[in-house]
Amino acid sequence: MLGRPVLFLNYAFVATIFLLNFLGLSLIKWIYPVAGFVAILAFLSLELKHTLPLLVAWSFIEGQSRIVWHYHPAFRLLFDIMIGACILRTLLNQRRVDIQRLLPLPLLGLLLLHFLWYAVEFFNPNSVSVLGPIAATKIYIFPFAMFWMFRMNPEAFDRDGLDRLSLAGMTLLTLEAILALYQIQTGDSLVLGISPYYLNAMKTDVFVGANFRPFGTMFAPGVVGVYLFLATGLLFIRQKFKLKYIFLLLPLIIIIIGGTILGSQVRSALVKFSLLALAGTAAIILTSAVSSARKLFIAVSTTIMFIGVLSTAIYLANQSSIVGLDKGLERWQTIDSFEAFKAGRAGPTMALVIAEQRLKEFPIGLGPGVTGAASSVSRESLDRDPIYNRETFWGYDNLFLSLIVEFGYGAIFYSLLILGIPFLLLRKIVRQFRSHNRFAARVSFVAFMQISIILLGNWGAIGLPYNPESFFFWLWAAAGLNVSTIDVST
């Protein structure tokens, strides 16, 4: 009985947070504790099929709470506490931990080996800090509990559940994009009016003035572009698509999001977003229950539409005095080749040489939590270590090399596990197409594209173990796998 009023109150808080951001009011600091507390109550009392859109909403807004509360530990862990509340609710409903439905046996075996190897790493003699492995459980162990929670709630991914999730995603993407564009126009004055602590996130004098990058409701300058591409697939998983949505609303949203990502100056996010927008449109066409002739018509029309969207985006970007996207455009104009775009990332040959060297030096690795953002917990120990220098702990901005540095040969378990998910989805997609289950095939295809692009992006970044990539990777994996277990007809 209380479900609807509780959810209404939670969404009212989310709307209030966005409103206060547009107004640039510092009152937002005091909204977060109350809104967070009410949200946790909802996650504890309601099933995930009712609260999943709210959880996705908080994945967008929780980052700002860290800044306005000066990175207080409670707000750094707020989203994890919310996920923990959802896990607890699922445990109370299930009354047991059923892992048989989680993944097929080969991937379950890899997961078990990953857990066993992680236990070994607690006794790694090469480890510099005892805190590293403990802190790193948040990025290497906890996400699998979250994935289990998603998988044990298939009803959250049925037709109605995905419609609600799509509506929430479309609303969040639009609000975040418009807010970020507004922040580009106002510069750093708007966010500094909310909290002077934003200056720390801007690195004092790096992302200020003409070099300002929008925050949206996130925790770092420009990272709003990453959130936008991670949630792009939500635009394409609804049950039915009317022509006015495909030819009017969807192009408008894509223009706004594309412009925002350009303004956030994260070039890789713009490439990923473009690929996902095209893949999502292709998924709609391929899974629509219409004749081949009409599919061809829609394909040609959408191709023309995307050319128009791209031309419009380029035009708006050049009107820098109007929309303030000149800095983002300048970053693209500095690229004159594919090699320049790669920015010196390790290629396959170089990566193989580095991997062989690290495995020879440290066959069991240096222990979890010594590369990437997780190393901040042990930063003093790493800096003072008399044997290893800072280069020893460098993951070359590459997730897979980072895993080798931390786990040694044991990195194979985690690596094969995450690489196995898209192949599992691909097999599901083929089966769904053969059985003419168009809706499930569309959702699984969108999920497949989302997690595949996340994995490809991690060749030049160490993002998958951390939120937001971790949250959305396992959310998309569960969506693609869960929808295939639901009996849907088209």
Side-chain angles (χ1 to χ4, degrees):
M1 294 296 292
L2 294 178
R4 190 177 297 273
V6 168
L7 286 177
F8 177 81
L9 179 60
N10 273 283
Y11 290 126
F13 274 125
V14 173
T16 301
I17 287 171
F18 274 100
L19 177 61
L20 294 177
N21 268 283
F22 279 105
L23 297 175
L25 298 179
S26 59
L27 174 64
I28 199 170
K29 175 178 180 178
W30 305 103
I31 297 295
Y32 269 109
V34 180
F37 177 74
V38 173
I40 291 172
L41 289 180
F43 295 132
L44 285 172
S45 58
L46 300 173
E47 295 182 6
L48 189 68
K49 65 180 179 180
H50 301 299
T51 59
L52 183 57
L54 179 63
L55 186 64
V56 172
W58 269 97
S59 76
F60 274 74
I61 65 176
E62 60 86 20
Q64 185 177 44
S65 69
R66 307 182 212 174
I67 294 178
V68 297
W69 281 96
H70 300 191
Y71 275 78
H72 188 283
F75 291 94
R76 294 181 68 175
L77 296 174
L78 178 60
F79 190 58
D80 295 309
I81 294 172
M82 291 179 175
I83 294 173
C86 293
I87 294 172
L88 179 59
R89 174 67 191 192
T90 301
L91 280 170
L92 293 175
N93 289 343
Q94 298 283 326
R95 298 184 183 277
R96 64 192 181 97
V97 180
D98 181 9
I99 64 170
Q100 292 182 349
R101 289 188 293 159
L102 186 63
L103 287 168
L105 189 58
L107 293 183
L108 273 180
L110 288 172
L111 179 59
L112 176 60
L113 289 171
H114 167 65
F115 286 164
L116 291 174
W117 189 264
Y118 201 92
V120 170
E121 289 293 336
F122 276 100
F123 307 97
N124 190 333
N126 298 323
S127 182
V128 175
S129 169
V130 294
L131 291 178
I134 297 174
T137 56
K138 179 178 179 294
I139 62 174
Y140 289 125
I141 302 298
F142 184 71
F144 292 108
M146 176 180 65
F147 179 53
W148 174 86
M149 177 262 295
F150 287 143
R151 288 286 278 148
M152 294 304 108
N153 289 278
E155 63 279 358
F157 300 91
D158 62 15
R159 281 179 174 265
D160 293 337
L162 289 171
D163 270 354
R164 290 191 295 268
L165 192 58
S166 181
L167 177 60
M170 182 180 68
T171 304
L172 286 165
L173 286 166
T174 305
L175 284 174
E176 283 292 351
I178 294 175
L179 175 60
L181 286 174
Y182 182 56
Q183 290 176 348
I184 292 173
Q185 292 293 308
T186 59
D188 52 28
S189 60
L190 182 71
V191 295
L192 288 175
I194 294 175
S195 172
Y197 203 74
Y198 268 101
L199 198 60
N200 293 58
M202 293 184 225
K203 299 183 179 179
T204 306
D205 57 357
V206 177
F207 299 114
V208 297
N211 296 317
F212 173 75
R213 295 184 182 184
F215 284 79
T217 56
M218 315 309 178
F219 58 88
V223 77
V224 61
V226 176
Y227 279 81
L228 292 177
F229 99 75
L230 289 170
T232 295
L234 297 177
L235 298 172
F236 303 97
I237 61 172
R238 59 174 56 199
Q239 292 183 62
K240 297 179 181 179
F241 294 92
K242 297 181 179 179
L243 289 180
K244 64 180 180 180
Y245 179 86
I246 296 176
F247 292 105
L248 181 61
L249 186 58
L250 186 59
L252 179 60
I253 294 174
I254 288 174
I255 290 174
I256 294 172
I257 294 175
T260 302
I261 298 177
L262 179 65
S264 71
Q265 303 179 46
V266 184
R267 293 175 299 198
S268 61
L270 187 56
V271 173
K272 295 169 186 174
F273 166 73
S274 301
L275 292 173
L276 288 166
L278 289 170
T281 305
I284 295 175
I285 296 171
L286 292 172
T287 59
S288 60
V290 297
S291 65
S292 298
R294 191 169 184 182
K295 285 183 180 181
L296 179 61
F297 168 76
I298 296 174
V300 172
S301 301
T302 50
T303 300
I304 296 172
M305 178 194 72
F306 273 110
I307 292 174
V309 168
L310 181 61
S311 301
T312 302
I314 294 173
Y315 170 77
L316 290 176
N318 279 294
Q319 304 302 308
S320 57
S321 60
I322 300 176
V323 295
L325 303 181
D326 51 325
K327 288 295 180 181
L329 191 62
E330 286 176 9
R331 280 179 58 80
W332 276 101
Q333 290 171 341
T334 60
I335 298 176
D336 56 10
S337 67
F338 178 69
E339 291 300 322
F341 181 72
K342 290 196 304 182
R345 303 298 187 193
T349 303
M350 178 181 175
L352 183 61
V353 172
I354 295 169
E356 289 177 344
Q357 179 184 356
R358 291 305 178 94
L359 289 172
K360 182 178 180 180
E361 294 176 349
F362 307 104
I364 60 173
L366 294 168
V370 297
T371 65
S375 63
S376 61
V377 177
S378 310
R379 178 54 57 198
E380 291 186 7
S381 298
L382 297 178
D383 289 342
R384 293 198 310 263
D385 191 84
I387 300 176
Y388 308 134
N389 55 39
R390 297 191 67 175
E391 186 178 350
T392 309
F393 306 103
W394 187 27
Y396 292 85
D397 291 329
N398 182 308
L399 171 65
F400 302 99
L401 291 177
S402 171
L403 292 172
I404 288 174
V405 171
E406 296 193 349
F407 293 102
Y409 282 101
I412 192 68
F413 306 130
Y414 184 88
S415 299
L416 287 180
L417 177 58
I418 59 175
L419 291 173
I421 299 294
F423 286 100
L424 178 60
L425 279 176
L426 195 58
R427 189 177 66 176
K428 296 281 187 182
I429 294 167
V430 172
R431 291 178 178 175
Q432 289 156 0
F433 268 112
R434 287 176 176 174
S435 61
H436 303 288
N437 194 343
R438 296 186 182 92
F439 177 68
R442 185 198 314 143
V443 175
S444 294
F445 180 73
V446 170
F448 166 78
M449 290 301 300
Q450 285 278 174
I451 64 176
S452 296
I453 288 177
I454 290 173
L455 286 170
L456 287 172
N458 273 263
W459 187 263
I462 307 174
L464 178 56
Y466 305 95
N467 286 330
E469 286 197 14
S470 176
F471 174 75
F472 278 99
F473 179 90
W474 296 110
L475 174 67
W476 281 117
L481 294 173
N482 279 4
V483 74
S484 64
T485 66
I486 301 169
D487 182 19
V488 293
S489 57
T490 56

